[in-house]
């Protein structure tokens, strides 16, 4: 039976009824309950009598764990004059960033003023799109409505600019702020670190500590990654000491521990990295990868393979593609052809991982270094996709080491088919002919190069030289 419409009553009674319906909207636990409440509001004329109750209903429909965005949109569209809270709710709920920005345009066309809660959602949408022009336009609106000093809006602006690659405006905004929240420091420092701007990340971290802010685990992990990529071992050791003294980041034990292992391993402090790794009570696949790759990269091939075997025995975490890059690289450094070949085969057969171009590259390099040039060439031909210049460069380097000019000529032709202007391969082939004592071919090739006025492309000598 439908509930009767509200009869004339005292203002105090009406207020209690409307407040009850608003509370019920927040307490519903299923979409069916919300729909029943919506029906009650319709027949009781609440949808036209109380914007607050409708706002709470819309919020629950759009943003609760059991949300139904289609139903929320119908509620919104049936509301005569949606307020800014309703607009913000629907903007926030949009899974598609473009839909959120379109809603904002509709909001402005309806002359509804945006507030400090509107722009963080919009700027988040711009960040997802990495749309710098849209970010700049929203920045103008932020200034127009006097919201540039709001911490949440400023944080969203800085993040939007940094994610979009406009670090100049991001830093200018950051430096202009008279008050900075910990989350804003985190946005800048982590953004710099994630975009491989290690020097800026480390400088800003020093400024943060100097300003009296105590960094959390997320910042420390990002800065440690920056130290790893930049080779700043001393800075990383200082952060490690800070963590031990302050006990900061203990809640992020795996993340912070992994960042420390990665930092030490990347900087060649293998013993310290391994000690930290062994002391960690919990490890994820990233932790294992950091240690395995660190061991392999610094000539500890047997230790890397031993750790890989331990990982398989414990069966706590499964290896992934990065793990196999580290293990295959270790085999390559140690010249373990049979082991590397078997590990490569196990990727698909045992773990269901399809080898990617980087895995093929490792095996091609391993076979080439071991004198299995024809096998390496067949491996490249059998790849499920066309070989790129990096793979072909590894094959060309192997041709140079073995003095096999026939394979070298074939590889050079394939490289030129991909990059006709890559003149450096002619020089590489000429050097291979020279080392093989085929001086007639050297003269012929150099004559051709002179006629075509070819010049050596910088960097190609690195591909065909071995350490």
């Amino acid at each position: 039976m439908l509930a009767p419409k509200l009869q004339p009553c005292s203002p105090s009674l009406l207020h209690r009824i409307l407040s009850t319906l608003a509370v019920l909207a927040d307490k519903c636990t299923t979409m069916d309950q919300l729909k029943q409440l919506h029906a009650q509001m319709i027949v009781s004329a609440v949808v036209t009598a109380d914007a607050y109750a409708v706002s709470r209903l819309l919020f629950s429909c759009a943003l609760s764990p059991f949300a139904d965005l289609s139903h929320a949109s119908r509620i919104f569209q049936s509301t005569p004059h949606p307020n800014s809270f309703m607009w913000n709710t629907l903007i926030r709920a949009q899974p598609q960033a473009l839909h959120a920005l379109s809603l904002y345009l509709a909001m402005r066309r309806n002359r509804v003023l945006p507030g400090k809660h509107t722009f963080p959602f919009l700027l988040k949408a711009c960040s997802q799109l990495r749309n710098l022009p849209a970010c700049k336009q929203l920045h103008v609106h932020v200034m127009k409505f006097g919201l540039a000093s709001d911490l949440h809006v400023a944080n969203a602006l800085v993040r939007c600019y940094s994610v979009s690659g406009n670090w100049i405006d991001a830093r200018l905004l950051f430096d202009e702020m008279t008050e900075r929240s910990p989350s804003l420091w985190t946005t800048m420092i982590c953004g710099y670190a994630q975009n491989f701007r290690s020097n800026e990340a480390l400088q800003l971290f020093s400024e943060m500590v100097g300003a009296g802010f105590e960094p959390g685990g997320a910042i420390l992990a990002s800065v440690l990654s920056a130290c790893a990529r930049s080779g700043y071992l001393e800075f990383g050791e200082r952060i490690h000491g800070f963590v031990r003294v302050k006990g900061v980041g203990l809640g992020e034990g795996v993340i912070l521990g992994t960042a420390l292992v990665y930092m030490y391993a990347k900087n060649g402090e293998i013993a310290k990295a391994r000690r930290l790794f062994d002391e960690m009570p919990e490890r994820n696949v990233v932790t294992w990868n950091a240690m395995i790759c660190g061991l392999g990269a610094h000539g500890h091939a047997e230790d890397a393979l031993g750790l890989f075997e331990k990982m398989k025995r414990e069966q706590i975490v499964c290896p992934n593609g990065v793990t196999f890059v580290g293990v295959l690289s270790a085999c390559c450094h140690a010249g373990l052809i049979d082991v590397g070949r078997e590990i490569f085969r196990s990727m698909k057969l045992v773990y269901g991982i399809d080898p990617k171009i980087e895995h093929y590259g490792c095996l091609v390099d391993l076979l080439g270094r071991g004198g299995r040039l024809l096998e390496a060439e067949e491996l490249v031909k059998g790849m499920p996709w066309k070989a790129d210049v990096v793979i072909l460069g590894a094959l060309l380097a192997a041709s140079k080491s073995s003095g096999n000019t026939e394979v070298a000529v074939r590889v050079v032709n394939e490289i030129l088919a991909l990059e006709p202007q890559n003149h450096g391969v002619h020089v590489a082939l000429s050097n291979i002919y020279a080392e093989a004592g085929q001086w007639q071919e050297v003269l012929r090739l150099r004559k051709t190069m002179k006629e075509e006025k070819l010049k050596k492309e910088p960097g190609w000598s690195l591909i065909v030289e071995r350490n």
Side-chain angles (χ1 to χ4, degrees), residues 38 41-42 46-48 54 57-58 70-82 86 90:
H38 185 200
M41 287 183 176
I42 291 173
V46 170
V47 290
T48 57
V54 178
L57 176 68
L58 177 66
S70 297
H71 193 78
S73 297
R74 287 194 291 273
I75 295 173
F76 180 85
Q77 290 163 4
S78 64
T79 304
H81 302 289
M86 296 178 190
L90 210 57

Side-chain angles (χ1 to χ4, degrees), residues 349-365:
L349 294 176
V350 179
Y351 299 98
I353 299 174
D354 290 315
K356 296 183 179 178
I357 194 77
E358 54 267 30
H359 303 109
Y360 278 95
C362 289
L363 190 56
V364 167
D365 197 18

Side-chain angles (χ1 to χ4, degrees), residues 203-417:
Q203 178 190 349
L204 209 57
F205 177 77
S206 297
E207 290 180 22
M208 177 185 183
V209 175
F213 286 91
E214 188 167 284
I219 287 185
L220 292 172
S222 292
V223 174
L224 285 168
S225 295
C227 291
R229 288 191 291 268
S230 302
Y232 292 151
L233 175 61
E234 184 180 351
F235 203 112
E237 288 177 324
R238 284 168 53 194
I239 294 175
H240 189 189
F242 179 84
V243 171
R244 282 199 302 259
V245 172
K246 298 284 188 177
V248 179
L250 295 179
E252 298 96 350
V254 176
I255 296 173
L256 199 54
T258 300
L260 282 165
V261 169
Y262 175 66
M263 187 275 296
Y264 278 120
K266 192 77 171 176
N267 282 287
E269 291 288 340
I270 298 299
K272 288 184 179 179
R274 185 58 188 265
R275 185 164 58 251
L276 280 169
F277 177 86
D278 291 338
E279 290 172 355
M280 289 179 66
E282 182 184 354
R283 311 179 192 103
N284 59 23
V285 68
V286 182
T287 318
W288 286 90
N289 290 346
M291 195 67 247
I292 290 172
C293 293
L295 287 166
H298 290 90
H300 302 273
E302 291 189 5
D303 290 334
L305 293 171
L307 196 59
F308 178 59
E309 291 300 322
K310 181 180 179 183
M311 181 187 193
K312 292 193 294 183
R313 284 195 307 271
E314 291 188 2
Q315 295 184 342
I316 297 175
V317 296
C318 290
N320 60 14
V322 177
T323 315
F324 284 103
V325 169
V327 177
L328 288 169
S329 297
C331 292
C332 191
H333 287 300
L336 302 173
I337 295 176
D338 293 336
V339 176
R341 190 192 289 117
E342 191 57 38
I343 288 173
F344 182 85
R345 288 172 179 164
S346 73
M347 289 182 65
K348 181 66 175 177
L349 294 176
V350 179
Y351 299 98
I353 299 174
D354 290 315
K356 296 183 179 178
I357 194 77
E358 54 267 30
H359 303 109
Y360 278 95
C362 289
L363 190 56
V364 167
D365 197 18
L366 172 60
L367 293 170
R369 287 173 183 262
R372 309 289 181 88
L373 187 59
L374 295 179
E375 184 181 346
E377 188 178 24
E378 288 302 313
L379 179 68
V380 171
K381 290 179 180 177
M383 291 195 309
W385 50 82
K386 193 174 182 63
D388 63 8
V389 175
V390 176
I391 289 281
L392 294 172
L395 199 54
L396 186 59
S399 303
K400 178 179 184 293
S401 295
S402 62
N404 192 320
T405 56
E406 292 182 9
V407 174
V409 170
R410 290 198 292 268
V411 173
V412 165
N413 289 333
E414 289 188 55
I415 292 174
L416 289 175

Side-chain angles (χ1 to χ4, degrees), residues 139-158:
H139 189 181
V140 172
H141 284 231
V142 167
M143 301 292 290
K144 176 181 177 181
F145 293 107
L147 297 170
S149 60
D150 182 84
L151 277 179
H152 295 292
V153 175
N155 184 61
L157 260 175
V158 169

